[in-house]
Amino acid sequence: MPPTVVRCCSLMRLEPFSLGGSHVRLEPLALEHAAELTLAATADRSTYGWTAVPADEPAMHTYIAALLADAAADSVVPFVQRRLTDGALVGCTRFLDLKWWAGRSVPAEAEIGGTWLAASAQRTPINTEAKLLLLTHAFETWNVERLAICTDARNERSRAAIERLGATFEGVLRNHRQQAGHHTTPGAPRNTAVYSIIPTEWPSIKQRLEERLHGN
């Protein structure tokens, strides 16, 4: 069912919504998640070299508050990732950089990003299923015209994963966003590698994700 859309201050506002699969449930991010997300983020931080992941509870609270403010401005839809085997929160992800075209009540363009997972949830089906849930919602509920996936241009591991997904490389935007993670100089400008998926490419990418999820 499409998310409820209400008009607020002449802008279209997406109400928070959840997306559920067999391995993970994406639930609306909330301030009360700060303590449990901090536990997830601090068990092993070795893989957060290119990712903004708060290292303590006050920082996590600030991180969540900033995302909720962006959500209120209709620019992001942030989620926690809940592992279904034990109910634990194991990370975050979001739609961001939403673009609203005239005549549409839902975004026409979106980006998937801001993703991080606890060490215990990495190399499991959770990330694949989360991507499948987000992409399916973007293309089959919002009917977006373009879905972007971006990363620090130096992050070869992330770029390889995006390319395996089947997204198309569009180029590098110079000094596009701030750097984050212990391999970077946080706050300095970064060059961003930009990839995208459009509706005609979605069916084959969906099939690829489903096959990967089911071990085919």
Side-chain angles (χ1 to χ4, degrees):
M1 180 180 295
T4 301
V5 181
V6 296
R7 186 172 295 277
C8 176
C9 303
S10 78
L11 293 177
M12 301 306 296
R13 173 72 185 275
L14 290 169
E15 289 294 310
F17 57 93
S18 298
L19 300 171
S22 300
H23 304 278
V24 64
R25 181 173 175 82
L26 305 183
E27 301 174 359
L29 180 66
L31 288 172
E32 54 262 34
H33 295 139
E36 192 172 354
L37 285 175
T38 301
L39 289 176
T42 54
D44 177 355
R45 297 183 58 79
S46 61
T47 60
Y48 302 150
W50 306 96
T51 308
V53 183
D56 56 42
E57 191 167 339
M60 186 67 73
H61 193 279
T62 299
Y63 168 87
I64 294 171
L67 286 174
L68 294 179
D70 287 343
D74 300 323
S75 63
V76 305
V77 180
F79 301 95
V80 291
Q81 303 193 69
R82 187 179 298 279
R83 183 167 53 204
L84 294 183
T85 55
D86 60 3
L89 296 185
V90 293
C92 291
T93 192
R94 62 184 177 268
F95 289 115
L96 64 150
D97 201 22
L98 301 179
K99 298 292 194 303
W100 301 80
W101 292 6
R104 289 178 56 110
S105 62
V106 291
E109 300 178 49
E111 180 182 337
I112 291 173
T115 302
W116 62 269
L117 282 171
S120 65
Q122 296 173 21
R123 302 185 184 280
T124 74
I126 287 175
N127 187 56
T128 298
E129 186 170 62
K131 290 292 188 295
L132 179 60
L133 291 170
L134 291 167
L135 286 163
T136 300
H137 187 84
F139 283 107
E140 298 181 14
T141 298
W142 287 346
N143 296 309
V144 297
E145 300 295 345
R146 180 177 181 276
L147 190 288
I149 307 176
C150 302
T151 190
D152 190 304
R154 300 165 295 177
N155 189 346
E156 296 297 336
R157 179 179 176 182
S158 178
R159 293 184 66 169
I162 296 168
E163 289 164 6
R164 285 196 301 272
L165 182 66
T168 298
F169 177 58
E170 294 184 328
V172 174
L173 298 181
R174 299 180 299 165
N175 286 5
H176 175 237
R177 287 179 176 158
Q178 290 184 315
Q179 298 179 28
H182 59 256
H183 290 330
T184 75
T185 304
R190 82 171 195 193
N191 294 338
T192 298
V194 180
Y195 296 80
S196 70
I197 301 167
I198 60 174
T200 54
E201 299 162 343
W202 166 234
S204 63
I205 290 173
K206 181 179 184 180
Q207 180 179 358
R208 188 174 307 166
L209 280 169
E210 289 176 336
E211 290 173 350
R212 187 184 305 172
L213 190 60
H214 295 108
N216 297 328

